[in-house]
Amino acid sequence: MNDIKKLYEQWLTSATADEDLIPELKEISGDDDAILDRFYKNLEFGTAGLRGVIGAGTNRMNVYTVNQATQGLADYLNANFEAPSVAIAYDSRIKSEVFAKGAAGVLAANGIKVYIYPELVPTPMLSFAVRRLGCSSGIIITASHNPSKYNGYKCYDPNGYQMTDEAAAETYGYIQKVDMFSDVKTMSFDDALAEDMIDFIEDWLMDEFYEQVLSCRVNPDDIKKADLKVVYTPLNGTGNKPVRKILKKAGISDVVIVKEQEKPDGNFPTCPYPNPEIRQAFECAIKTAEGTDADLLLATDPDCDRVGIAVRDGSDYVLMTGNEVGAMLCEYILSSLKEQGRVPEKPIVVKTIVTTPLVETIASSYGAQTADLLTGFKYIGELVTNLERNGETDRFVLGMEESYGYLRGAHARDKDAVVASMLICEMAAYYKLRGISLKQFMDGIYEKYGMYLNTVLNFAFEGADGMKKMGEIMDGLRNNPPKEIAGSAVVKMSDYKLSFTTDLVSGEKTEITLPKSNVLSYSLPDNSKVIVRPSGTEPKIKVYITACGTTRDDSQKKTEIITDSISDILGV
């Protein structure tokens, strides 16, 4: 604790670059727990970059932790690239623009050319800019769908997806050598702009992005004929202009915006958890839709890389899960391409290992291969990049993850709620012309392929002891694997950290060829499955349950039994 108090005292005298930090530090004087929480560790830099609560301390997002990370990134880039350059974007969160311009000044002071968007834009537009401008890296300031007290800092590699494990580890090595008060080179944003070390990204690049997105349409004429009525909320984030623009370009004119959530606002006053996975995020949209006959409600998260939907069901609106939207897009795109005779040779659908196996069932019915990759869209981006290098980009039909992230097209190497919003609306228009709602369409998929009910459990572990507790739980599962879950024997266990799958019936072991990851998967006899992994961006353990049954009620009962069982096993 003595070392932590010394750090605290150093910050009290040195952290003067942000007027909010010193008052916060003075306020916690004498509060050992509050000081410990801010200084017991440094924010760790990994493939997801930095993410943390905004505030004072080494375990907080502030100008010092951001600039330290940027100096480390600059040292990495200068060591590995000749004349490196970086694209930068930021979202609507508190201090996002401050952190973005501060990072730009650090890079410029290190002789690195910076291209920065003149206003907040979605994450996929940063991915696009990195590749289009031939940059060595990219930075986006965002904490995705976290509550307003969070912000984050994500780094991209030259291919437009988030840094690989190897590059992130090397960058982190440089970061650890940087004293955040004495080793960071800086220059003002305005000075760097005047010296041509920083350029604003111009409209032509954004126009190219929209053109690429429009090229991903499947039935472009239907979207103009269906008279689709949409209510859209950007959840006070970056999607407001881009999503509205792409829907207008695609031919949808009847779009009502949720006024309370239209303008960028990092406080998210009407939606403390700006996450399109939860119903609360749709409350204002549902209220806006009252008295209308809107077919579809859209919500994009603050950095507009994920999108959720609610669809009309009688007089009410039903939220569709990320797995359901992914399954619908897979069925819609492949069936349309088949109908048009445009299914590519050796088509491939890409999903994460925690995304519903229903997608694989759908894809195989159209002769498409399914690639199951680790959680993290960078792995999907990497696969698309490899296809492009082999001249096989056309094989890529769709990429998805259960947490509401989708990509069609090779314009971005990250999930893209701009293209996904357009395709969801096109899909709704296509089926509306045929007298089918999206709810009915999804029910038809279940009837055709079987009932797959997917549920995600989140167990949070806050504070200094949280990470330790999470590690103990994962070690316990790994060292003493459950032999049964919900009264059913575990028939197969996959350990993605040790890289093998064990058939518990035959005893046979097979190698997992994916990169190592702290993930454990348990298969049950009826094709139900439980996957456990620590979150890469938040202090929580996530449990993914797939319950297979003959009906929704049957699957729901199985889900409840599995939930109780796995909670007991985890001891939470």
Side-chain angles (χ1 to χ4, degrees):
M1 189 67 191
N2 287 335
D3 289 341
I4 288 174
K5 285 187 175 178
K6 285 180 182 178
L7 259 179
Y8 168 72
E9 295 293 338
Q10 181 189 17
W11 276 67
L12 263 177
T13 57
S14 302
T16 56
D18 185 331
E19 63 183 14
D20 295 330
L21 300 185
I22 298 299
E24 178 186 341
L25 291 167
K26 288 181 177 179
E27 186 178 337
I28 62 171
S29 177
D31 187 339
D32 288 349
D33 288 341
I35 293 171
L36 176 66
D37 188 44
R38 286 163 173 78
F39 291 97
Y40 80 95
K41 68 169 186 174
N42 291 349
L43 283 181
E44 292 185 14
F45 182 93
T47 56
L50 305 173
R51 189 172 298 191
V53 174
I54 303 163
T58 58
N59 188 33
R60 292 289 188 268
M61 284 290 296
N62 52 66
V63 292
Y64 295 102
T65 53
V66 167
N67 287 358
Q68 179 191 40
T70 308
Q71 181 62 53
L73 175 65
D75 292 340
Y76 163 77
L77 294 174
N78 279 325
N80 288 276
F81 295 87
E82 187 174 339
S85 60
V86 176
I88 297 180
Y90 56 93
D91 71 2
S92 62
R93 287 183 174 272
I94 296 166
K95 294 190 182 294
S96 281
E97 185 175 359
V98 171
F99 295 159
K101 289 186 173 180
V106 172
L107 292 168
N110 282 273
I112 296 173
K113 179 74 174 186
V114 175
Y115 301 93
I116 188 169
Y117 279 99
E119 62 180 359
L120 71 178
V121 296
T123 289
M125 294 182 81
L126 183 276
S127 175
F128 179 78
V130 169
R131 296 178 62 253
R132 181 64 180 85
L133 297 174
C135 292
S136 317
S137 184
I139 297 170
I140 185 159
I141 307 296
T142 179
S144 187
H145 58 282
N146 286 105
S148 62
K149 67 179 181 179
Y150 286 89
N151 211 328
Y153 174 106
K154 293 198 295 188
C155 285
Y156 285 68
D157 86 347
N159 296 305
Y161 47 79
Q162 286 183 44
M163 268 189 172
T164 62
D165 295 342
E166 182 180 350
E170 188 176 347
T171 301
Y172 186 46
Y174 282 105
I175 293 171
Q176 289 178 302
K177 298 174 185 176
V178 175
D179 183 289
M180 62 181 66
F181 291 117
S182 60
D183 293 343
V184 178
K185 299 176 184 177
T186 61
M187 67 187 301
S188 77
F189 184 86
D190 288 340
D191 286 348
L193 201 62
E195 293 182 21
D196 200 33
M197 289 304 297
I198 297 175
D199 284 345
F200 283 116
I201 291 173
E202 297 178 353
D203 288 347
W204 65 262
L205 187 138
M206 290 181 267
D207 290 340
E208 282 193 15
F209 175 84
Y210 293 124
E211 290 171 11
Q212 291 289 316
V213 170
L214 287 170
S215 72
C216 298
R217 289 175 292 179
V218 183
N219 291 291
D221 293 334
D222 284 13
I223 202 169
K224 301 172 184 176
K225 300 175 185 174
D227 190 28
L228 193 74
K229 302 181 187 304
V230 179
V231 171
Y232 169 57
T233 171
L235 297 178
N236 300 116
T238 61
N240 185 33
K241 289 183 179 180
V243 171
R244 293 169 74 171
K245 190 164 190 172
I246 203 67
L247 295 185
K248 184 176 181 180
K249 283 177 174 288
I252 299 176
S253 56
D254 195 346
V255 180
V256 176
I257 308 301
V258 178
K259 290 299 179 185
E260 306 96 314
Q261 298 170 339
E262 178 180 12
K263 302 299 183 183
D265 187 342
N267 293 297
F268 309 118
T270 61
C271 187
Y273 296 92
N275 184 350
E277 297 181 44
I278 60 177
R279 188 172 182 86
Q280 183 196 45
F282 280 90
E283 286 179 353
C284 290
I286 291 171
K287 186 176 180 180
T288 300
E290 287 177 1
T292 74
D293 54 352
D295 302 290
L296 177 68
L297 313 184
L298 284 175
T300 54
D301 68 342
D303 67 323
C304 195
D305 63 350
R306 304 187 313 132
V307 57
I309 68 171
V311 300
R312 178 174 285 282
D313 183 27
S315 60
D316 197 8
Y317 289 93
V318 177
L319 269 65
M320 309 300 287
T321 70
N323 279 311
E324 287 177 325
V325 173
M328 286 193 291
L329 285 171
C330 186
E331 173 74 12
Y332 164 66
I333 292 170
L334 284 171
S335 64
S336 294
L337 293 178
K338 181 179 179 180
E339 182 181 316
Q340 298 165 14
R342 295 198 297 125
V343 177
E345 187 176 350
K346 298 180 181 179
I348 184 168
V349 172
V350 192
K351 72 178 190 69
T352 61
I353 58 175
V354 298
T355 301
T356 178
L358 173 57
V359 169
E360 184 173 2
T361 303
I362 294 170
S364 64
S365 74
Y366 292 97
Q369 173 190 347
T370 300
D372 253 338
L373 305 180
L374 292 177
T375 303
F377 224 88
K378 66 176 181 179
Y379 297 111
I380 297 176
E382 189 174 31
L383 185 146
V384 175
T385 298
N386 290 333
L387 288 174
E388 184 180 62
R389 285 172 180 161
N390 294 328
E392 298 179 326
T393 310
D394 289 346
R395 289 183 60 199
F396 177 61
V397 175
L398 182 69
M400 74 190 77
E401 59 184 11
E402 54 75 36
S403 54
Y404 295 64
Y406 316 97
L407 175 66
R408 176 163 166 78
H411 59 284
R413 301 297 153 89
D414 208 338
K415 46 191 177 286
D416 180 6
V418 181
V419 74
S421 295
M422 180 192 73
L423 287 171
I424 289 166
C425 289
E426 181 187 284
M427 175 172 66
Y430 177 89
Y431 289 106
K432 182 179 181 180
L433 284 174
R434 288 152 181 81
I436 302 169
S437 71
L438 286 185
K439 175 66 166 57
Q440 292 168 329
F441 176 44
M442 190 66 232
D443 289 342
I445 288 175
Y446 285 137
E447 185 176 344
K448 181 178 179 181
Y449 297 105
M451 185 67 219
Y452 294 72
L453 189 60
N454 301 98
T455 304
V456 182
L457 309 178
N458 292 281
F459 301 101
F461 301 87
E462 299 285 353
D465 294 330
M467 297 302 290
K468 179 181 177 184
K469 179 65 175 174
M470 288 168 59
E472 290 172 351
I473 289 173
M474 294 303 294
D475 288 343
L477 287 174
R478 186 164 279 112
N479 296 330
N480 299 288
K483 295 181 179 178
E484 65 174 44
I485 297 175
S488 295
V490 176
V491 296
K492 186 181 291 184
M493 186 189 80
S494 296
D495 189 326
Y496 290 85
K497 186 176 182 180
L498 301 180
S499 298
F500 64 81
T501 295
T502 303
D503 186 317
L504 298 180
V505 178
S506 67
E508 181 182 359
K509 289 190 176 183
T510 55
E511 182 184 3
I512 296 173
T513 58
L514 298 175
K516 292 183 183 299
S517 183
N518 193 12
V519 180
L520 294 165
S521 175
Y522 308 97
S523 297
L524 304 179
D526 62 353
N527 292 325
S528 295
K529 182 177 284 190
V530 177
I531 298 176
V532 184
R533 75 173 184 92
S535 171
T537 56
E538 301 169 89
K540 63 174 62 173
I541 285 179
K542 306 187 83 168
V543 178
Y544 303 81
I545 298 171
T546 299
C548 295
T550 54
T551 64
R552 179 174 288 274
D553 286 345
D554 182 30
S555 295
Q556 184 60 50
K557 288 175 183 175
K558 288 185 179 182
T559 298
E560 292 167 2
I561 296 170
I562 292 172
T563 296
D564 290 341
S565 179
I566 199 67
S567 298
D568 288 342
I569 291 169
L570 296 180
V572 292

